[in-house]
Amino acid sequence: MGYASTVKMPFGPQHPALKEPEHFLFELDGDTVVGVTPRIGYVHRGIEKALELSTYGHGLYLAERICGICTVAHTCCYTQAIEELMGIEVPPRAKYIRTIMSELERLHSHSLWVGLVAHEAGFDTLFMYAWRDREAILSLFQEITGGRVLHAINTLGGVRRDISPELADKIRCTMEYFEGRVKDYRRIIRTEPTFLKRTRDVGVLKPSDAAKLDAVGPTLRGSGIKEDVRRDDPYIAYDEMPFNVISSDGCDVFARTEVRVEEMMESIGIIRYALDRMPAGVFRVRAPRNAPAGECVSRVEAPRGEDMHFARSDGTAKPERYKVRAPTLANIPALCRMLVGIHVADIPIILAGIDPCFSCMDRMVVVRGGRASGTLQSKRDV
Amino acid sequence: MVVNWARSGSPWLIHFNTGGCNGCDIEFVAAVTPVYDVERFGIKLQGSPRHADILAATGPVTSQIAQSLRRVYDQMPSPKFVVALGTCAVSGAPFRNCYSIQGGIDSVIPVDVYVPGCPPRPEAMIDGIAKLLQRIRGAKK
Amino acid sequence: MDATEAVRLMCERLGEGVLDARAPRPRRAFVRVRRESFGEAIKHAVLELGFSHLMAITAADAGEELEALYHLVCMDATVLTISVRVPKGDAVLPDMSEVLQNAAIYEREAREMMGIGFDGLRDEAHLVLPRGWPSDVHPLRKDRTYDDLAKIKLELERV
Amino acid sequence: MVTYEVLQLIVFPGALFAICLAFLYEWVDRKLFARVQGRYGPLYTGPAGIMQPVADFLKLLSKEDIVPRACDANLFFAVPVMYATLPLATLFMMPIAAPEALIAFDGDLIFILFAFGMMTLIIFLAGWSSASRFSAIGSVRSALQMLSYEIPLGLVLVCPAIAAKSLSVSGIVQWQAANATLGAALQPIGLAVTMVCLLAELELVPFDIPEAETEIVAGWRTEFTGWRLALFRLGRDLEVLLVAALVASLYLGGAQPLWLIPATAMFVVKTAAVVMVFSFVRALFARLRIDQMISGMWKYLLPIAALQVVLVQIGVGV
Amino acid sequence: MSIAGEALKQLRRRPCTIRYPVEKAKVPNGFRGMPVWDMQKCILCVLCQNACPPGAIRLIGKGPDAEIEYLLDRCIFCEECAEVCPKRAIAMSHRFELAGFDRSKMAFRFRKDRQVQGQHDAPKTSDSTGKG
Ligand code: SF4
Ligand code: SF4
Ligand code: SF4
Ligand code: SF4
Ligand code: SF4
Ligand code: SF4
Ligand code: SF4
Ligand code: SF4
């Protein structure tokens, strides 16, 4: 039983490997996956409609709740879009604070992810260590913003709280500690043979496929393509920050892990630089209630890749159309490509490899494979 | 007596995200990790609803997930308890008007403990679970 | 390629097909084209100008018409938004997954949420949104009010 | 006299003692595993959480019992009972309170090996009887895994027997005492191979493939609830004790009194040490994939095990 | 095996766990817990109601009978209300142990002369509020 010619194996919506409810229907031939039908939409909450029905100020809190992991990315993207529509310029100090928050978020998100990928590989001890160390970042968040996960710090016209010199010292101090920890992860993932066995040559995504299927973020950079919105299309204060865009040529789960760990080192560098050079002055300007008619595209490099918001205003206090495209959705075609032809036991680790966060994906996705026919478009190329 | 002691001393949890924003979920997972370590209470995370005593649900219930939630709840052997973690799970709050949201967890299954917070800190979650355990311990046969 | 350059090249190629073209700030270009020139515009941008990365397709409700906005990015991170309008009665666009491999996923989204049909898009089967959601109700259309949608939601719950 | 023997079987060093020890070791394992990860582990159920396994067991007994419609009811009933009683019965062949086990005969080592095989068969039946996809995959994986470790395990386990010229565990313990030596000192390779195979037998990381939570939920146990699950957990704890007792007896001298320390205490100390090594080791690895595990077992472990046999033959021959 | 060094180190160290219900949790200044009202200061201007994104605040009634209703089960602890209040009548307290068995007890009513409370004790305004 279970090993007949091709069997269908459901995966989710409630499954220990997915902390979020999603459903994948795998077609198996023995122990090999021959087809994937993602069936998403379990987390579809209707945020786009809600955003169009709420004022710019209230919408900020909905944008923040597109996802609890990259809230800073989404609020940066939201505020940036609305500020462009309103025509307000954010004070430089606020830009620096947003940059610091974005990078802290990258640290927390990537270390969370290192833990998760370890967990998927059955490496619970590393998972525990990574999450323990992540707490240091969360307490920083708590000190800076008053909340551990949803920060409510970005606001239209700047940020709501300042980073005082004492706080800056605390951040530096935590960075010192965290740098040591990241180096330790780097050593562990590069040398632990069982972990390497599970991640090397698993979930291969060729650079040409990655580019054609428009993968984003570490998934793309793990296939050797150096693209990063922070460098290519600088926003907030990134044009003043020195940092390297990390990529790795492995094209497998291990390469994606490596990219993330190295990015953490870069983030620490950016935070230090920004703290040292933070301009003085106000950190918030008043935002008007209404935005004049207009439209704009706003892009942000979230920890998982490029996040894009499109806003169109009509002169009222509410957006006329607000569109969100979050990184996980962009990675789905590439994910389906990776999942075909692999071993069943590798499914969780490959899924985890793109760091899928469905809550943002479903914000809009309505791709639901039909019973027999429906698969994602990528299936067609396979 | 002994039964209540055993039940309150060995709550096994199953986690179910019904459509939340991940904020609650990562805080819930954080509660399992060293800094909060709910295993102190004997709490174990279970993958199968068949093995669980407490359903820890996060997020507003989307129309699509409602049936799955119901099914997971039905699969759990009684006595079973439900903890709604986070404002969304309590009332669906920021999303409660959205067209594909049914509301809080209690719009689908009965809830024993509500833990407001967006997201609740891991301590607040522990507080909610501890209150539930206390109630189980005190329960008359 | 920078934004003004992209706008200029698009206008040169499409001529009368362009209804509106702007480059409001560096790295952002908006070009609105006539329905007839739409396919040509996308192909030109993707294949000749190098805007090969499709970020997303936004579907919008513009009163009598529906609008689809294709957000394309090139290597220099310039975002070119090509938009096209179709009347509500005949809201069909060609499927672009020939040139943009990941277009289908966004096209399906646009169809589900806004009711723009895509000629040649497979996976016609089934409806959007939660199970049992009526296939002719597109929640992002402006004429769909919250109360209206809430009624559908209530019906779903009863099932 | 008969009552005394019955008492021995039921209370000490028989069933009751074994069950208590098994629960204690589950606690030791969880506690140590948690400490390695920088956590406390169970803390509030009993002093330092020591009653945790008991609470788990009692709670499961008091839970609702669900029998899935699709499953085979008879098997579904029999499997948990067998799973708990088999290791318990096998434990009677382990010297616990004295160098002589309650049941000792020449060849009980073979029986123990057979019992390990049986455990896997029961697991297979368990997964198969519950008619669920995850359970089925779990049990197939379990059987595949057994095929790969059973042979090296059998090979290395006969080495102490060859050295002691006895196929009885008690005999091997007594031989070690008589020669004032330890199996571990004579056959370190054998000990290492045994430990690896037993990690696989117990389905611990890196070989917890049949229970890989992130892949197939709870593997073959997915569908079991209530007292059935309680018995599975008990059987599992007893199996850990059995394995620890086996290692302690064959390689660490087993239940021999040392000066004033009684045999039972030595037994407890040695088995506890083995359990702690297991839980420490399982914290250090990632899970392997089933094909990697099987090929590793055949490629590396089997030759090493064979080498050990040859070495022992040479040692005995000389 | 490469994690063995760290693992051995852990065994010698005390776990980093905060033994929460036994030990008290430490909450930093500025933490956004449950908002509390100082009705002495409130002028019933409704700005907080308008600012609240999930609609957790409502003004009920008029004149001397007017009450402010605060719905704990809807609040997302965003601090908008405290920020917008012209009289600084709202402050984010440090209270986060808000779990309850009954949702109907999660509504609070505040009146200018007295405070009608739900399940929780009257939040004292001096209660370790973030910003005094
Ligand atoms: S991938 Fe990340 S966000 Fe998604 S369920 Fe897993 S942990 Fe949560
Ligand atoms: S998933 Fe998207 S379309 Fe659906 S409600 Fe959320 S934001 Fe709106
Ligand atoms: S990818 Fe989406 S769901 Fe995941 S963390 Fe980012 S915004 Fe959140
Ligand atoms: S309560 Fe807040 S953090 Fe939790 S799921 Fe809802 S929005 Fe996210
Ligand atoms: S407090 Fe401000 S908003 Fe309220 S009535 Fe007075 S002036 Fe107007
Ligand atoms: S904290 Fe935010 S959600 Fe809560 S009452 Fe104040 S404004 Fe409303
Ligand atoms: S703005 Fe307020 S009322 Fe509107 S959807 Fe958001 S939370 Fe609900
Ligand atoms: S904003 Fe302040 S003064 Fe106005 S009603 Fe609210 S609490 Fe009272």
Side-chain angles (χ1 to χ4, degrees):
Chain A
M1 193 189 143
Y3 280 76
S5 59
T6 77
V7 282
K8 295 215 151 73
M9 177 164 104
F11 198 86
Q14 202 286 321
H15 190 283
L18 301 164
K19 296 285 173 289
E20 292 158 283
E22 288 310 322
H23 182 100
F24 289 85
L25 190 65
F26 288 99
E27 232 176 286
L28 306 180
D29 181 4
D31 245 0
T32 310
V33 176
V34 293
V36 197
T37 312
R39 215 157 159 269
I40 40 205
Y42 286 92
V43 194
H44 177 92
R45 282 168 278 167
I47 292 187
E48 287 186 9
K49 186 82 176 175
L51 278 166
E52 283 158 27
L53 291 170
S54 43
T55 60
Y56 290 116
H58 285 183
L60 176 61
Y61 291 93
L62 287 172
E64 184 166 47
R65 280 161 184 75
I66 290 169
C67 166
I69 306 178
C70 8
T71 55
V72 179
H74 277 296
T75 48
C76 269
C77 209
Y78 179 86
T79 49
Q80 193 168 281
I82 306 301
E83 280 154 7
E84 191 179 329
L85 289 179
M86 290 176 169
I88 43 181
E89 180 63 25
V90 178
R93 189 173 177 86
K95 284 189 175 170
Y96 267 69
I97 294 176
R98 282 183 187 175
T99 310
I100 291 169
M101 287 299 293
S102 301
E103 290 309 314
L104 280 175
E105 176 176 86
R106 202 175 311 277
L107 284 179
H108 116 78
S109 172
H110 281 354
S111 55
L112 169 147
W113 181 83
V114 166
L116 278 167
V117 86
H119 177 65
E120 305 303 354
F123 199 177
D124 272 347
T125 308
L126 181 57
F127 162 69
M128 291 291 180
Y129 289 168
W131 279 64
R132 176 195 65 197
D133 302 333
R134 194 180 76 100
E135 288 290 325
I137 308 280
L138 292 187
S139 5
L140 275 185
F141 277 143
Q142 192 170 265
E143 301 246 349
I144 301 171
T145 71
R148 284 163 48 94
V149 170
L150 295 182
H151 314 306
I153 184 162
N154 287 338
T155 188
L156 297 174
V159 291
R160 288 168 74 186
R161 292 193 190 182
D162 194 13
I163 292 182
S164 65
E166 301 86 66
L167 220 58
D169 283 338
K170 222 174 223 169
I171 298 175
R172 282 196 194 96
C173 186
T174 307
M175 286 306 113
E176 206 63 46
Y177 161 77
F178 209 75
E179 191 174 17
R181 301 302 312 150
V182 175
K183 284 188 178 144
D184 211 33
Y185 302 148
R186 187 161 61 180
R187 186 183 57 78
I188 291 171
I189 60 161
R190 285 198 181 145
T191 54
E192 173 52 48
T194 46
F195 185 74
L196 288 177
K197 259 193 143 41
R198 284 308 298 277
T199 52
R200 275 255 163 87
D201 298 321
V202 166
V204 176
L205 180 69
K206 286 193 287 263
S208 54
D209 284 343
K212 252 190 279 161
L213 297 171
D214 288 335
V216 295
T219 311
L220 179 69
R221 293 194 285 273
S223 291
I225 300 176
K226 277 189 196 275
E227 269 185 28
D228 189 323
V229 179
R230 291 179 293 170
R231 186 202 57 189
D232 302 339
D233 191 0
Y235 54 100
I236 42 181
Y238 281 113
D239 46 353
E240 296 166 28
M241 301 291 148
F243 67 97
N244 298 320
V245 176
I246 307 292
S247 71
S248 166
D249 297 328
C251 308
D252 50 14
V253 174
F254 178 72
R256 282 162 223 150
T257 315
E258 223 177 8
V259 166
R260 287 188 169 100
V261 173
E262 292 294 337
E263 275 185 5
M264 281 158 84
M265 298 300 289
E266 293 298 321
S267 294
I268 293 173
I270 297 178
I271 293 170
R272 288 195 176 130
Y273 184 91
L275 282 174
D276 289 343
R277 264 154 260 240
M278 207 151 42
V282 293
F283 52 89
R284 184 174 183 175
V285 294
R286 266 194 79 82
R289 248 174 69 83
N290 298 359
E295 57 187 0
C296 73
V297 174
S298 164
R299 294 167 84 198
V300 157
E301 182 76 19
R304 282 151 193 79
E306 168 203 73
D307 178 24
M308 176 226 125
H309 290 198
F310 167 83
R312 174 181 280 174
S313 54
D314 55 2
T316 62
K318 295 176 181 179
E320 207 253 318
R321 176 80 177 95
Y322 202 88
K323 155 92 189 166
V324 180
R325 202 284 274 121
T328 302
L329 176 70
N331 275 332
I332 288 290
L335 173 69
C336 292
R337 168 68 58 91
M338 285 181 237
L339 280 172
V340 172
I342 53 128
H343 198 282
V344 196
D346 286 332
I347 293 172
I349 202 158
I350 294 177
L351 271 181
I354 68 156
D355 201 349
C357 296
F358 297 107
S359 84
C360 64
M361 173 171 82
D362 275 358
R363 196 208 77 289
M364 34 129 358
V365 183
V366 265
V367 197
R368 263 186 54 197
R371 213 158 280 142
S373 67
T375 47
L376 264 184
Q377 175 262 345
S378 62
K379 212 22 217 312
R380 192 184 301 175
D381 323 309
V382 173
Chain B
M1 246 286 288
V2 177
V3 169
N4 287 339
W5 169 80
R7 277 179 189 160
S8 65
S10 154
W12 291 357
L13 264 67
I14 184 166
H15 171 214
F16 194 98
N17 178 345
T18 59
C21 78
N22 288 344
C24 287
D25 308 78
I26 58 175
E27 286 294 73
F28 177 75
V29 178
V32 181
T33 55
V35 176
Y36 300 100
D37 185 29
V38 289
E39 202 190 352
R40 287 176 295 139
F41 301 91
I43 291 176
K44 275 173 85 178
L45 270 192
Q46 291 294 333
S48 161
R50 294 257 188 248
H51 300 177
D53 308 303
I54 299 179
L55 176 65
T58 54
V61 181
T62 60
S63 304
Q64 173 113 311
I65 203 92
Q67 282 163 311
S68 310
L69 177 64
R70 175 98 244 163
R71 203 175 322 125
V72 166
Y73 182 73
D74 289 340
Q75 278 182 0
M76 288 170 58
S78 57
K80 49 192 169 187
F81 306 93
V82 179
V83 183
L85 297 176
T87 299
C88 285
V90 173
S91 67
F95 307 109
R96 72 191 183 289
N97 289 333
C98 296
Y99 57 85
S100 62
I101 296 292
Q102 300 210 346
I105 302 294
D106 55 7
S107 63
V108 180
I109 53 175
V111 173
D112 295 278
V113 177
Y114 298 90
V115 183
C118 186
R121 321 161 44 87
E123 282 110 333
M125 296 185 179
I126 295 174
D127 171 58
I129 293 169
K131 278 178 182 158
L132 175 67
L133 293 183
Q134 221 158 36
R135 180 172 264 207
I136 297 173
R137 197 167 306 138
K140 286 190 207 82
K141 195 72 208 288
Chain C
M1 175 175 316
D2 80 19
T4 34
E5 178 77 359
V7 166
R8 192 180 60 79
L9 288 172
M10 288 298 286
C11 291
E12 229 164 62
R13 171 64 179 264
L14 297 169
E16 282 295 289
V18 174
L19 288 170
D20 178 25
R22 293 172 298 128
R25 76 170 180 83
R27 292 189 298 272
R28 293 289 183 275
F30 292 88
V31 174
R32 190 144 74 81
V33 298
R34 273 182 214 286
R35 191 178 183 180
E36 300 74 46
S37 318
F38 168 69
E40 193 195 349
I42 295 278
K43 284 195 186 110
H44 180 60
V46 173
L47 303 176
E48 283 155 51
L49 303 185
F51 287 89
S52 56
H53 170 99
L54 173 67
M55 256 198 317
I57 300 172
T58 304
D61 187 341
E64 291 304 301
E65 292 172 309
L66 295 175
E67 184 169 5
L69 300 100
Y70 286 63
H71 308 286
L72 302 166
V73 189
C74 73
M75 280 306 286
D76 305 336
T78 298
V79 181
L80 169 65
T81 301
I82 297 180
S83 65
V84 63
R85 291 191 179 185
V86 286
K88 272 188 179 160
D90 173 32
V92 180
L93 286 171
D95 168 27
M96 277 297 147
S97 38
E98 287 285 290
V99 274
L100 296 163
Q101 292 218 6
N102 63 340
I105 184 169
Y106 302 117
E107 287 172 358
R108 288 176 68 178
E109 182 205 357
R111 189 182 62 205
E112 314 270 25
M113 303 305 286
M114 198 59 88
I116 302 180
F118 287 89
D119 200 13
L121 174 62
R122 294 210 214 161
D123 274 335
E124 282 293 339
H126 81 71
L127 28 143
V128 244
L129 312 159
R131 245 176 246 109
W133 187 274
S135 54
D136 54 344
V137 179
H138 307 292
L140 285 188
R141 289 232 180 141
K142 287 288 173 201
D143 51 7
R144 290 292 169 197
T145 62
Y146 248 30
D147 295 341
D148 185 11
L149 294 169
K151 246 178 256 146
I152 298 170
K153 177 176 92 177
L154 280 181
E155 243 155 65
L156 277 182
E157 270 167 58
R158 222 172 297 132
V159 177
Chain D
M1 230 34 223
V2 170
T3 50
Y4 177 67
E5 268 167 13
V6 169
L7 214 64
Q8 260 195 332
L9 276 179
I10 292 180
V11 183
F12 180 86
L16 207 63
F17 179 71
I19 290 174
C20 289
L21 209 57
F23 279 147
L24 182 72
Y25 285 169
E26 189 195 332
W27 173 77
V28 168
D29 172 61
R30 275 174 75 172
K31 212 53 186 174
L32 188 73
F33 191 57
R35 283 304 305 269
V36 169
Q37 299 179 337
R39 305 182 285 128
Y40 280 104
L43 194 60
Y44 302 132
T45 317
I50 203 165
M51 298 300 277
Q52 191 63 54
V54 183
D56 288 348
F57 186 74
L58 290 177
K59 178 209 68 181
L60 284 173
L61 285 186
S62 76
K63 296 276 298 186
E64 183 192 358
D65 179 30
I66 300 176
V67 182
R69 233 176 299 124
C71 74
D72 181 328
N74 290 332
L75 264 183
F76 210 66
F77 173 82
V79 161
V81 176
M82 291 197 292
Y83 190 82
T85 44
L86 186 65
L88 188 61
T90 316
L91 266 173
F92 293 145
M93 292 169 203
M94 287 291 162
I96 291 176
E100 180 80 24
L102 285 179
I103 304 173
F105 55 90
D106 205 30
D108 56 15
L109 187 61
I110 305 292
F111 182 84
I112 290 167
L113 261 178
F114 168 74
F116 282 150
M118 278 299 290
M119 293 295 278
T120 312
L121 189 67
I122 297 174
I123 288 175
F124 186 79
L125 283 178
W128 192 70
S129 70
S130 46
S132 131
R133 241 185 239 97
F134 294 129
S135 309
I137 294 178
S139 55
V140 169
R141 284 183 177 190
S142 193
L144 280 174
Q145 184 158 316
M146 184 193 80
L147 293 181
S148 64
Y149 69 75
E150 202 78 330
I151 294 170
L153 181 65
L155 279 179
V156 287
L157 283 192
V158 295
C159 292
I162 297 172
K165 300 202 173 55
S166 160
L167 265 178
S168 151
V169 178
S170 306
I172 295 170
V173 169
Q174 284 154 6
W175 178 82
Q176 289 179 60
N179 291 288
T181 182
L182 291 182
L186 298 177
Q187 304 167 357
I189 307 178
L191 176 61
V193 174
T194 312
M195 291 297 270
V196 174
C197 291
L198 292 178
L199 268 178
E201 161 71 32
L202 291 177
E203 297 173 356
L204 297 177
V205 176
F207 307 116
D208 63 336
I209 303 161
E211 303 181 8
E213 198 208 42
T214 50
E215 294 165 22
I216 47 174
V217 195
W220 49 272
R221 279 187 294 187
T222 305
E223 293 296 325
F224 290 89
T225 54
W227 64 267
R228 297 166 214 265
L229 187 62
L231 283 189
F232 274 128
R233 291 177 54 85
L234 175 65
R236 169 53 183 262
D237 291 347
L238 286 168
E239 199 185 349
V240 171
L241 176 63
L242 176 67
V243 160
L246 188 69
V247 174
S249 301
L250 295 190
Y251 292 102
L252 303 176
Q256 305 168 17
L258 189 69
W259 295 308
L260 293 177
I261 310 170
T264 319
M266 289 305 289
F267 175 81
V268 171
V269 168
K270 285 170 184 172
T271 44
V274 175
V275 169
M276 279 154 92
V277 170
F278 275 138
S279 46
F280 187 69
V281 166
R282 83 183 168 104
L284 304 183
F285 292 104
R287 179 188 312 120
L288 289 171
R289 220 165 53 200
I290 186 95
D291 55 322
Q292 292 167 341
M293 184 256 178
I294 293 174
S295 71
M297 285 280 180
W298 286 96
K299 250 199 265 168
Y300 304 112
L301 222 55
L302 194 61
I304 297 175
L307 175 73
Q308 177 67 61
V309 176
V310 173
L311 285 179
V312 169
Q313 286 293 1
I314 294 171
V316 173
V318 171
Chain E
M1 277 304 214
S2 40
I3 210 165
E6 172 84 18
L8 285 172
K9 231 188 285 164
Q10 274 310 323
L11 281 180
R12 273 181 277 120
R13 232 184 273 154
R14 262 172 68 86
C16 60
T17 311
I18 304 165
R19 295 188 311 188
Y20 161 60
V22 182
E23 280 168 23
K24 278 288 141 237
K26 281 195 286 301
V27 182
N29 276 342
F31 175 73
R32 287 178 280 122
M34 178 175 157
V36 290
W37 269 255
D38 179 355
M39 291 310 282
Q40 306 281 296
K41 292 186 189 161
C42 177
I43 50 168
L44 301 173
C45 70
V46 208
L47 285 183
C48 52
Q49 173 186 314
N50 295 342
C52 180
I57 308 175
R58 240 180 335 182
L59 185 74
I60 296 176
K62 266 200 204 129
D65 281 337
E67 286 176 343
I68 284 189
E69 186 184 46
Y70 164 66
L71 302 170
L72 174 62
D73 59 355
R74 279 197 198 170
C75 180
I76 55 172
F77 308 93
C78 64
E79 207 185 356
E80 280 289 328
C81 51
E83 205 167 81
V84 82
C85 176
K87 294 289 172 190
R88 297 212 156 272
I90 311 178
M92 302 304 277
S93 72
H94 285 186
R95 290 159 48 105
F96 63 86
E97 290 146 318
L98 305 167
F101 297 105
D102 191 349
R103 236 178 95 184
S104 62
K105 290 188 181 144
M106 289 189 178
F108 300 83
R109 295 234 175 148
F110 309 104
R111 206 183 260 209
K112 267 212 79 88
D113 42 352
R114 69 199 155 87
Q115 306 200 342
V116 183
Q117 288 294 320
Q119 169 199 18
H120 297 278
D121 304 328
K124 293 181 202 78
T125 9
S126 57
D127 171 29
S128 57
T129 43
K131 356 204 250 177

